[in-house]
């Protein structure tokens, strides 16, 4: 029974945990592109503009958290 438990692997990390600094910059840029997309009301923009800006802000915030974690990890070495 213990052998079966050792083979099981559960990933408790969030989907963005392995991005690193390059992925963080990518997320920040993607969030900015989404915000510009909503600002110019290009096709696919939601009726409620606040929802579009909220989504863009979430993407940017995740990018900033990942970038901060990557920089903090480097400074602690």
């Amino acid at each position: 029974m213990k052998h079966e438990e050792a083979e099981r692997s559960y990933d408790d990390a969030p989907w963005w945990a392995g991005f690193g600094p390059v992925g963080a910059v990518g997320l920040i840029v993607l969030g900015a592109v989404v915000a510009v997309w909503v600002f110019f009301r290009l096709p696919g923009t939601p009726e409620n503009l606040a929802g579009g800006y909220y989504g863009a802000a979430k993407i940017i915030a995740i990018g900033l958290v990942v970038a901060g974690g990557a920089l903090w990890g480097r400074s602690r070495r």
Side-chain angles (χ1 to χ4, degrees):
M1 189 70 165
K2 290 183 180 181
H3 181 64
E4 291 176 10
E5 291 176 9
E7 288 182 11
R8 292 183 195 163
S9 172
Y10 297 103
D11 189 20
D12 289 339
W15 59 267
W16 46 265
F19 279 9
V22 175
V25 171
L27 284 173
I28 294 167
V29 169
L30 177 65
V33 167
V34 169
V36 169
W37 191 278
V38 171
F39 179 77
F40 287 116
R41 297 179 186 205
L42 297 174
T45 301
E47 290 291 324
N48 183 6
L49 294 180
Y53 288 125
Y54 176 70
K58 286 193 319 185
I59 295 170
I60 293 171
I62 291 170
L64 290 173
V65 167
V66 172
L71 292 175
W72 188 37
R74 281 191 180 184
S75 70
R76 296 193 53 106
R77 286 187 193 171

